[in-house]
Amino acid sequence: MKMDIYGVLYTVLFVILCIMFIGTFAEKRELPGKWCRYAIVGGMIMADYFISVKLDGDIILKEVAIIGAGTIFMCLYFRQRCIKTAIFVISYQGICFIMDYISILMLSKCFPAITVERLSEPLLINALLGILSQMLQVCFIMVLRRYVVKKSSEMLTTLEWVRFTIVPVYTIIVLIALLTNFEIPESSHQKNILICIAFGLLVMNIIIFCLINDILKREVQITENRLLLERVKNETGMYRTISENYDKQKKREHEYKNQLALIAALASENRADEINHYLKQYNHEIMQHTDFIDTNNVIVNAILNSKYQETREKGIVFVVKVNDLSDLRIKDEDIVLILSNLLNNAIEASEQCEN
């Protein structure tokens, strides 16, 4: 192995972590195919590696060039404005510097035998130290995702997140052990093996992180689809009830005309007692079909009145305490989902009761 291979691997991981970091805040852009996304990632890797090699002597110019190239490629990769993308890239560069400093500081303070001069000399120590820094970046991105991407992170409990962090913590411990407890081997073959082990651990952590993230996204999508189906089911049931009530109303209007004709016929014959008896009976029927509940919210009224009629037909006691809901700020589809589910569950539970 040559140093160029280490440089390429380090650049690949640098770009992957950059995408993971910006992906916490931005959505991916719609592209014609996967090859376009791969081409963007490959182009950024080549650009960063070329800049690192050609501008190795000028740190400031190198960082400015890397930030510029990263902004261009990340604008193509993510659906985000150039200014915000540049801020994210600069932030990521700052995090990289901080993690590098923390890695050196942690080793020099916790393990005084390892001096900064010793860390800056050997190729093996440099490589392991870089991998440790990137591992700390992975942990930082994990914590960031935990508290920024609420929809996905809430799918895991705190205990599950603690279990998930066992692997990166173990990896950091292994890397520190490699840096502090192993003598620097003279054989280049042994150095390559140690570096491959360290790179392998880091890559495994990134793969596990991406796998968990994909699983969480899929779980969120499944949950949203299930809620959508439930909402459609409840809305369909409500509209069906409204349609049935409308049909009943049309039927009552037709009966109302016949009843008026009957009352007129009885009145023409001065049969007042029969008219009074008929009106009392008709008023009782009207009361059976009247909407009693009014909350000043059309959707809530439709649901409560339809369920109230259903419970009366099934002999279930329906107690309602409502107030003015005209300023209710919940979405109509959410009201249908929540209220219909609650009432349906209550009705089903009441039907299963013996008394």
Side-chain angles (χ1 to χ4, degrees), residues 65-110:
I66 289 177
I67 290 172
T71 302
I72 294 172
F73 284 105
M74 290 298 98
C75 282
L76 296 174
Y77 193 91
F78 291 103
R79 192 169 55 199
Q80 193 64 265
R81 293 182 178 179
C82 292
I83 297 176
K84 286 187 176 181
T85 304
I87 293 173
F88 289 143
V89 174
I90 294 171
S91 301
Y92 175 69
Q93 285 290 111
I95 292 169
C96 292
F97 282 121
I98 292 172
M99 294 306 170
D100 288 342
Y101 179 75
I102 290 175
S103 300
I104 297 174
L105 186 65
M106 181 173 57
L107 290 175
S108 61
K109 293 294 183 181
C110 297

Side-chain angles (χ1 to χ4, degrees), residues 23-52:
T24 305
F25 306 96
E27 295 181 359
K28 294 181 180 179
R29 188 182 296 276
E30 295 290 337
L31 297 174
K34 288 185 177 181
W35 63 269
C36 292
R37 205 173 300 281
Y38 295 147
I40 293 172
V41 175
M44 185 173 176
I45 292 171
M46 293 175 62
D48 284 355
Y49 180 72
F50 179 80
I51 292 170
S52 299

Side-chain angles (χ1 to χ4, degrees), residues 72-272:
I72 294 172
F73 284 105
M74 290 298 98
C75 282
L76 296 174
Y77 193 91
F78 291 103
R79 192 169 55 199
Q80 193 64 265
R81 293 182 178 179
C82 292
I83 297 176
K84 286 187 176 181
T85 304
I87 293 173
F88 289 143
V89 174
I90 294 171
S91 301
Y92 175 69
Q93 285 290 111
I95 292 169
C96 292
F97 282 121
I98 292 172
M99 294 306 170
D100 288 342
Y101 179 75
I102 290 175
S103 300
I104 297 174
L105 186 65
M106 181 173 57
L107 290 175
S108 61
K109 293 294 183 181
C110 297
F111 306 96
I114 300 180
T115 61
V116 177
E117 290 78 8
R118 181 172 180 266
L119 291 176
S120 62
E121 289 176 2
L123 172 62
L124 174 62
I125 298 298
N126 259 344
L128 293 178
L129 190 61
I131 295 171
L132 176 61
S133 173
Q134 289 186 327
M135 192 62 235
L136 292 175
Q137 293 172 35
V138 173
C139 294
F140 176 80
I141 294 173
M142 285 174 52
V143 175
L144 198 64
R145 288 283 181 99
R146 174 71 175 89
Y147 294 100
V148 174
V149 188
K150 291 291 185 181
K151 188 177 290 186
S152 296
S153 61
E154 287 173 353
M155 300 295 293
L156 290 179
T157 62
T158 303
L159 180 59
E160 289 171 336
W161 273 103
V162 171
R163 292 173 181 173
F164 180 38
T165 57
I166 291 175
V167 177
V169 170
Y170 172 76
T171 303
I172 291 173
I173 294 173
V174 171
L175 291 174
I176 293 176
L178 290 176
L179 281 165
T180 57
N181 297 321
F182 281 82
E183 293 294 333
I184 301 173
E186 297 180 358
S187 171
S188 60
H189 181 67
Q190 292 177 340
K191 292 180 182 178
N192 293 336
I193 291 176
L194 288 177
I195 293 175
C196 287
I197 291 173
F199 265 114
L201 289 172
L202 177 58
V203 171
M204 284 176 58
N205 278 271
I206 294 175
I207 291 174
I208 292 173
F209 178 84
C210 294
L211 179 62
I212 295 295
N213 189 53
D214 291 340
I215 291 174
L216 290 177
K217 285 183 178 179
R218 186 167 66 248
E219 286 295 323
V220 169
Q221 188 63 43
I222 292 172
T223 302
E224 290 179 349
N225 291 339
R226 185 170 65 249
L227 290 175
L228 178 61
L229 292 175
E230 191 71 26
R231 185 179 293 119
V232 170
K233 177 182 175 182
N234 290 327
E235 288 181 352
T236 303
M238 188 187 71
Y239 292 142
R240 186 183 296 111
T241 302
I242 294 174
S243 178
E244 291 174 356
N245 291 336
Y246 179 71
D247 293 338
K248 290 178 182 179
Q249 183 179 356
K250 289 177 63 178
K251 183 179 179 180
R252 287 197 298 269
E253 288 178 357
H254 180 70
E255 293 174 352
Y256 177 69
K257 294 178 182 179
N258 296 332
Q259 288 162 350
L260 284 179
L262 176 60
I263 291 173
L266 293 174
S268 64
E269 298 178 5
N270 295 323
R271 297 163 64 178

